[in-house]
Amino acid sequence: MEASARTRHAHELFAPLGPTYDRYARLLSFGQDPRWRSFLVSRVPPGAQRVLDVATGTAAVAIELARADTDRTVIGVDQSTGMLAAGRERVERTGLSGRIDLHEGRAEELPFPDGEYDAVTFTYLLRYVDDVPGTMHELARVVRPGGTVAMLEFGLPRGLWRPLWELYVRAGLPAAGAAVSPSWGGVGRFLGPSIREFWRQWPEPRLLDTWRAAGLDEVRLQRLSLGGGVVVWGRRA
């Protein structure tokens, strides 16, 4: 299936950011992005020895997964050749190239047989796919029964923190991104509306029901950093 204009725009927006992505993602999230990734990785049981990391980007999660268990091998998949190039360089620098293998591919059409992996992780993915239920079914398909699926996504803070979040994503984030580069300025303008629209269409109850409909149970959601990050995880039934 051909990607929509919205999905293609997101892909084009992030494609050139590979070499600087991790540094500025950390900076623009006030240092919270690495903390969120660590919590995501902690949801994967130590016994999960073969793990698929979808939307792997620069391999930050894949590297942390490999470091968490010395017997673990990780396959990373991303549709961005630029991000994957940065990821391969990073994997090589960390000395983990023997246990991490990165491939180009799409979450909607994973080139793996059913039940191939002990766990699947994905980060900042569902906002960019056109068919959320279909993608969740595909992600669950490649996990063995009893295996773990876990995701990280930006969230919407609640209560008194929401106005501060709105001020940041409407003014502070675009300005800070533009100060880095025109490409990061575009990302700064894009993220706030993208996050709002995703949670408008997929509020937490509906999102969790979609996970269950994909064949996952024991589904849980944890809000992090006053709700700025959200991790969801569950077990393949």
Side-chain angles (χ1 to χ4, degrees), residues 21-34 37:
Y21 182 82
D22 296 295
R23 181 188 322 140
Y24 290 114
R26 183 182 302 111
L27 178 66
L28 297 175
S29 68
F30 298 104
Q32 296 307 294
D33 182 67
R37 290 199 308 263

Side-chain angles (χ1 to χ4, degrees), residues 7 61 64 66 78 84 105 125 127 150 165 171 183 195-196 212:
T7 299
V61 170
E64 197 157 343
D78 201 284
L84 287 172
L125 169 68
R127 279 184 294 119
W165 182 89
S183 294
I195 296 165
R196 276 191 226 95
R212 297 182 187 104

Side-chain angles (χ1 to χ4, degrees), residues 181-222:
S181 72
S183 294
W184 274 105
V187 170
R189 293 187 297 273
F190 169 82
L191 279 177
S194 173
I195 296 165
R196 276 191 226 95
E197 179 61 17
F198 176 76
W199 290 110
R200 185 189 69 79
Q201 292 189 36
W202 297 96
E204 291 177 10
R206 185 186 183 200
L207 181 65
L208 299 186
D209 283 346
T210 301
W211 277 57
R212 297 182 187 104
L216 300 166
D217 60 17
E218 300 178 18
V219 180
R220 297 182 60 188
L221 180 149
Q222 179 70 48

Side-chain angles (χ1 to χ4, degrees), residues 8-153:
R8 290 196 305 272
H9 171 66
H11 174 65
E12 292 164 1
L13 195 64
F14 285 90
L17 301 182
T20 63
Y21 182 82
D22 296 295
R23 181 188 322 140
Y24 290 114
R26 183 182 302 111
L27 178 66
L28 297 175
S29 68
F30 298 104
Q32 296 307 294
D33 182 67
R35 176 173 173 253
W36 300 342
R37 290 199 308 263
S38 293
F39 186 81
L40 170 72
V41 170
S42 75
R43 301 304 90 191
V44 177
Q49 295 191 349
R50 186 164 169 79
V51 181
L52 176 66
D53 184 43
V54 181
T56 195
T58 58
V61 170
I63 289 169
E64 197 157 343
L65 283 163
R67 284 174 169 165
D69 188 331
T70 56
D71 293 324
R72 178 176 290 161
T73 59
V74 183
I75 304 298
V77 171
D78 201 284
Q79 65 175 353
S80 170
T81 55
M83 287 286 191
L84 287 172
R88 290 188 180 105
E89 290 181 5
R90 187 174 185 179
V91 169
E92 187 68 28
R93 289 197 305 271
T94 59
L96 291 168
S97 55
R99 293 198 291 123
I100 298 175
D101 197 8
L102 304 183
H103 299 272
E104 187 174 352
R106 299 175 66 237
E108 299 92 325
E109 298 174 312
L110 294 170
F112 307 111
D114 296 356
E116 176 77 1
Y117 294 96
D118 299 316
V120 169
T121 58
F122 58 100
T123 305
Y124 309 133
L125 169 68
L126 295 184
R127 279 184 294 119
Y128 305 125
V129 302
D130 297 318
D131 180 2
V132 169
T135 301
M136 284 304 309
H137 275 278
E138 181 69 352
L139 293 163
R141 178 186 66 79
V142 299
V143 182
R144 64 167 176 78
T148 298
V149 177
M151 85 165 202
L152 167 63
E153 185 53 81

